[in-house]
Amino acid sequence: MANSGIMDLTSVQFSNSRTIELSGAWAFWWQRKIVDAEELTKTNAEPDAWPVIPSYWNSGSHGGKQFPVQGSATYRLTLMLPDSQVYGLYVPQMVSSYELYINGRLIGNNGIASLDNRLVMGEFRPEVYYVTPEKNKLDIFLFVANRDYRHGGQWKPIVFGTAQGIQNYYNRSLMGELFLFGSILIIGLYNIAMFIFRPKDRSPLFFGLFCIIVALRVITTGSIALTHLIPHISWEIQIKLELSVFYLGALFFGLFFKELFPEDIPSLGLSIMLTPALLFTILAVVLPLRLFNRLVTPMEITAIAGLLFVLVCIAIAWIRKRENAPLIATGFILFTLTAINDVLYSKNLIQTTYLLPLGLFSFIFLQSLALARLFSHSFTRVEQLSDELTTVNKSMSRFVPNEFLNFLNKKSINDIQLGDQTLRSITILFADIRSFTSLSETMSPQENFNFINSYFNRIGPIIRNYHGFIDKYIGDGIMALFPENPQDAVRASLAMQEKLNEYNNERLSYGLQPIQIGIGIHTGPVMLGIIGEQQRIESTVISDSVNLASRIESLTRTYNVPILLSGAMQSYVKEAGFQSRLIDTVLVKGKSQPCDIYELLEVHPPKEKIYFIESKNIFEQGVHLYFEKDYEKALKLFKLCYAKNPQDHLAALYIYRIRNAIKLRTLNQDKSAQITESPILQRPAASNGGLSS
């Protein structure tokens, strides 16, 4: 510490990491400019005071004397040093301009310092100077002048050390502030980007703007890194930035907390807090510096009151167990304490340093953790909702197949609209349990549902395995679509019959009645789409092809065969290497043109299939002769066919028809009526002698 304007450092061991603040009692001359000891000897002027530096000359700390804010003065300190190596001085901003003389030589200056107050121009730019002592002594004269700032004098101590030590000290200060500036700025830009991508939540916007304001505050105080980024920035703009961003930051600060805790921060109290902040920000921009400086004290009081108000609201949020309130409260308390420190330090009431940047950084860091935690919870919730949505979509796909969505070029069931439709060529398969009504009468409703679901659980996977999907269930019936290849439907029908045989064996083991199903297959153009009304929609397939496939399935009862195919399927059946035979040409209900129907012979057991294949040509010749009404020749062929294969009940059916036609002489009867009137035949017994005559 300096004593009576002298600081003895002869016993100090200086190093590149050790520096000393030139604080203590300096000599002080008011409204005098003295640049060296020789001039002082001539004038023999006694010091007006021995102020303890750092201090403002208008604060009453100069020996109990208080000098006007506007004016100039000379400070003097003599340093006694251990050697004459090169030393350095870090000179922070003086209030508000200075000239530095050492051993009678002008070393440096900030702004324009003059005894004529009209010529004074302030400047805040920390500088580093290097000097070599004469006879191990430095005689420092610091001439300071102030016109526009709210305080005057040497409010921060000069830092002294070796040349390298001072350079290291300056670099650490500057890099530290630039680090804080960059870190806080990036956090701010990141939060603003989050708002851009998700504008529904405005809290990241206000927090991001607050961070940017804080970043500006960091580079306008301390080492004032702004002067290095923008070397020629005017002093008045620099001071206005320092003060205005403080109150503009309070504005965004309050809005951020309102978004964060809307139920805990009353709107009226927030308005009372934000109105002065907005007003002072505007005044900082429009008023001249010398006028605006007079408002700093009430602004500081207002800012501290606003911080205490928010602190109370956060405490209420903590009590109410709001999410992240404890973490935010911790950061906010640190921020409030450093803000109070800065206000007291700026008034030279305490000898610390500007701590608000660190407090802000701590608050921003903790707040970022809170936001990260919040977004983490949100992301976790999104994952949960995504899993739930996936489950829902899987469930919905059981109602509306994904293949149906693909036909309509829809990614999700949410994209479906009433009236969506598309035209496709597709293969339709209808399957139905025979005599289900009489079977269901022997079961309770619960048993009925169990039976149907047990049956569907066996059939559904087969359809999917052959690249098909179930469009709908019609009672005990199934309507399935095969969009890729008509042969898939044929293979699926055979696999269904095979699975049915296994199921029947299982039913027999439990003493249950076996079941039979009929399958009808047709391929052709269909219209797939969404029908219904606004509150109830359903996917469906509408086409003459669908009706034909359904009618063909119903004919399996008439002809007592498991699988019937339309004539449109024959080319695909042959390509797959399957055997089928024409059994009739019928006029199906609702159709104006007759349709060829074929029996799929692959459904028969291997031993029986051989006989069906051997008699196939004879049978089809008989069918053609029957269509030509050449009943006598047709009857011979069907008898021959039946003689070769007594299991061929369709041959027996035609024998019955022909005999009935000859007997009743009704050869002109419509073939469609003949089919309708013909009884459903059971397999004839081998001893049926009526068929052999």
Side-chain angles (χ1 to χ4, degrees):
M1 292 285 290
N3 186 18
S4 300
I6 299 174
M7 181 176 283
D8 188 354
L9 302 177
T10 55
S11 61
V12 176
Q13 297 294 323
F14 286 100
S15 67
N16 291 340
S17 59
R18 183 176 183 183
T19 58
I20 293 177
E21 292 184 349
L22 302 184
S23 57
W26 288 49
F28 175 82
W29 291 268
W30 177 249
Q31 293 292 90
R32 296 284 300 268
K33 181 177 181 180
I34 304 171
V35 300
D36 57 26
E38 183 179 348
E39 179 183 348
L40 187 60
T41 302
K42 290 179 181 179
T43 60
N44 197 27
E46 291 294 325
D48 295 311
W50 298 92
V52 176
I53 300 302
S55 61
Y56 296 123
W57 63 49
N58 60 310
S59 63
S61 59
H62 286 42
K65 298 178 182 180
Q66 186 167 343
F67 299 92
V69 172
Q70 294 183 336
S72 58
T74 299
Y75 294 89
R76 182 192 184 188
L77 179 68
T78 301
L79 294 181
M80 310 303 295
L81 302 172
D83 52 43
S84 295
Q85 65 172 306
V86 178
Y87 287 94
L89 295 94
Y90 170 76
V91 182
Q93 63 268 35
M94 299 297 162
V95 186
S96 58
S97 60
Y98 71 85
E99 292 178 354
L100 177 65
Y101 297 85
I102 297 180
N103 294 338
R105 292 186 300 110
L106 178 64
I107 300 299
N109 68 287
N110 254 198
I112 299 177
S114 174
L115 291 171
D116 186 348
N117 207 44
R118 294 171 299 177
L119 302 178
V120 173
M121 291 185 63
E123 183 178 15
F124 281 180
R125 187 188 301 273
E127 297 285 0
V128 172
Y129 304 109
Y130 301 101
V131 294
T132 303
E134 296 179 1
K135 298 180 181 180
N136 298 352
K137 185 177 76 170
L138 291 178
D139 203 3
I140 303 172
F141 286 85
L142 180 66
F143 177 62
V144 180
N146 178 57
R147 183 185 68 180
D148 297 323
Y149 204 68
R150 62 186 182 275
H151 300 296
Q154 190 181 167
W155 77 299
K156 283 186 175 182
I158 297 173
V159 181
F160 181 80
T162 64
Q164 187 60 51
I166 287 299
Q167 187 62 52
N168 292 342
Y169 174 86
Y170 177 69
N171 289 341
R172 284 195 304 269
S173 301
L174 184 61
M175 295 305 295
E177 290 179 9
L178 289 175
F179 169 76
L180 285 176
F181 169 74
S183 301
I184 296 172
L185 181 65
I186 289 173
I187 293 173
L189 295 175
Y190 172 75
N191 279 273
I192 291 175
M194 284 198 299
F195 167 76
I196 292 174
F197 292 118
R198 190 174 180 268
K200 183 179 180 180
D201 182 10
R202 297 189 298 175
S203 60
L205 170 64
F206 295 132
F207 184 67
L209 292 173
F210 171 71
C211 290
I212 292 175
I213 295 300
V214 169
L216 291 175
R217 171 77 179 177
V218 168
I219 59 173
T220 55
T221 57
S223 298
I224 313 181
L226 181 65
T227 58
H228 295 270
L229 299 175
I230 310 176
H232 302 293
I233 187 172
S234 73
W235 179 68
E236 184 165 345
I237 292 177
Q238 179 184 331
I239 300 302
K240 286 190 172 186
L241 278 174
E242 174 192 344
L243 297 174
S244 62
V245 297
F246 184 83
Y247 304 104
L248 187 61
L251 178 67
F252 295 129
F253 190 73
L255 293 173
F256 163 68
F257 274 102
K258 180 61 177 176
E259 289 291 325
L260 208 59
F261 302 115
E263 298 178 1
D264 304 308
I265 298 183
S267 299
L268 179 60
L270 183 67
S271 300
I272 294 174
M273 169 189 166
L274 298 185
T275 301
L278 180 60
L279 177 62
F280 287 140
T281 302
I282 296 173
L283 291 176
V285 174
V286 301
L287 289 180
L289 184 60
R290 61 181 179 274
L291 296 178
F292 178 70
N293 263 286
R294 299 176 183 177
L295 300 175
V296 170
T297 298
M299 287 191 298
E300 290 172 339
I301 295 173
T302 302
I304 292 176
L307 290 175
L308 295 176
F309 165 74
V310 174
L311 184 60
V312 171
C313 294
I314 294 177
I316 294 173
W318 192 342
I319 294 172
R320 294 175 177 174
K321 298 181 179 180
R322 305 299 187 197
E323 188 175 10
N324 292 321
L327 194 62
I328 294 172
T330 302
F332 187 77
I333 290 172
L334 292 174
F335 167 61
T336 303
L337 292 175
T338 55
I340 295 174
N341 169 85
D342 278 24
V343 171
L344 297 177
Y345 176 64
S346 67
K347 295 184 176 301
N348 217 244
L349 297 176
I350 57 175
Q351 298 303 318
T352 54
T353 186
Y354 275 131
L355 297 177
L356 187 60
L358 291 176
L360 286 169
F361 182 78
S362 300
F363 169 75
I364 290 170
F365 177 74
L366 291 174
Q367 179 56 40
S368 297
L369 287 180
L371 286 177
R373 184 181 178 189
L374 184 64
F375 282 117
S376 176
H377 289 171
S378 298
F379 185 73
T380 301
R381 181 57 181 157
V382 167
E383 287 183 323
Q384 292 174 348
L385 291 175
S386 179
D387 292 340
E388 291 176 8
L389 183 60
T390 300
T391 302
V392 170
N393 284 337
K394 288 181 179 178
S395 298
M396 292 302 297
S397 67
R398 294 185 290 177
F399 293 92
V400 179
N402 289 328
E403 293 85 353
F404 209 100
L405 298 179
N406 294 334
F407 291 148
L408 299 175
N409 292 322
K410 304 296 182 181
K411 294 181 179 180
S412 166
I413 194 171
N414 296 325
D415 301 328
I416 285 180
Q417 299 293 328
L418 183 65
D420 288 341
Q421 56 184 283
T422 185
L423 182 65
R424 289 289 300 267
S425 180
I426 208 163
T427 303
I428 308 104
L429 180 151
F430 274 89
D432 194 35
I433 299 175
R434 293 180 182 171
S435 305
F436 177 73
T437 302
S438 59
L439 181 64
S440 64
E441 290 175 352
T442 65
M443 296 184 288
S444 67
Q446 181 65 48
E447 290 172 335
N448 258 307
F449 271 93
N450 292 341
F451 163 68
I452 288 292
N453 289 331
S454 177
Y455 164 70
F456 288 154
N457 280 333
R458 288 166 170 80
I459 298 302
I462 294 173
I463 293 173
R464 289 189 292 274
N465 289 342
Y466 287 93
H467 313 110
F469 66 94
I470 296 174
D471 178 64
K472 60 173 57 68
Y473 296 100
I474 309 169
D476 60 297
I478 292 175
M479 175 182 170
L481 305 179
F482 293 82
E484 296 184 13
N485 193 324
Q487 297 166 349
D488 292 334
V490 179
R491 294 188 177 97
S493 67
L494 293 172
M496 289 166 64
Q497 291 290 346
E498 184 177 349
K499 177 62 69 172
L500 181 67
N501 292 334
E502 296 177 6
Y503 183 42
N504 281 333
N505 291 333
E506 183 181 338
R507 289 178 60 83
L508 287 171
S509 67
Y510 287 101
L512 300 176
Q513 180 182 348
I515 61 173
Q516 291 182 327
I517 62 173
I519 297 175
I521 304 174
H522 175 62
T523 188
V526 299
M527 184 69 73
L528 301 98
I530 305 299
I531 62 170
E533 46 90 20
Q534 292 299 327
Q535 298 301 317
R536 179 69 171 88
I537 61 175
E538 183 180 76
S539 63
T540 192
V541 179
I542 300 176
S543 170
D544 187 56
S545 298
V546 176
N547 296 333
L548 181 55
S550 176
R551 299 294 185 238
I552 290 173
E553 184 279 319
S554 66
L555 289 175
T556 61
R557 298 178 180 83
T558 302
Y559 296 102
N560 195 25
V561 294
I563 303 173
L564 285 180
L565 311 172
S566 69
M569 291 291 300
Q570 287 313 292
S571 61
Y572 303 106
V573 171
K574 291 179 181 178
E575 288 178 9
F578 296 141
Q579 295 287 337
S580 63
R581 65 176 182 176
L582 176 68
I583 63 170
D584 209 341
T585 299
V586 298
L587 188 64
V588 180
K589 182 180 179 182
K591 294 280 291 181
S592 59
Q593 297 295 325
C595 171
D596 291 341
I597 55 174
Y598 289 78
E599 177 191 11
L600 186 63
L601 300 181
E602 304 295 328
V603 73
H604 296 290
K607 292 182 179 180
E608 294 183 13
K609 185 174 72 171
I610 295 174
Y611 297 113
F612 281 100
I613 294 174
E614 289 177 350
S615 61
K616 171 185 173 181
N617 292 335
I618 299 173
F619 183 90
E620 289 184 339
Q621 290 177 23
V623 172
H624 287 300
L625 290 170
Y626 177 77
F627 293 157
E628 295 171 1
K629 299 183 180 181
D630 193 345
Y631 297 120
E632 286 75 10
K633 290 182 180 180
L635 182 60
K636 290 179 181 180
L637 292 177
F638 284 124
K639 285 183 177 182
L640 179 60
C641 185
Y642 185 76
K644 288 185 176 183
N645 183 13
Q647 301 299 319
D648 191 351
H649 64 279
L650 287 180
L653 172 61
Y654 272 101
I655 292 171
Y656 173 84
R657 285 181 175 177
I658 294 171
R659 284 179 173 176
N660 191 49
I662 294 173
K663 181 179 178 180
L664 300 175
R665 303 296 181 184
T666 54
L667 297 179
N668 293 326
Q669 190 177 22
D670 182 76
K671 287 188 292 185
S672 176
Q674 292 173 19
I675 294 174
T676 304
E677 293 170 3
S678 297
I680 299 175
L681 300 182
Q682 303 298 322
R683 286 184 179 272
S687 60
N688 191 336
L691 295 176
S692 62
S693 60

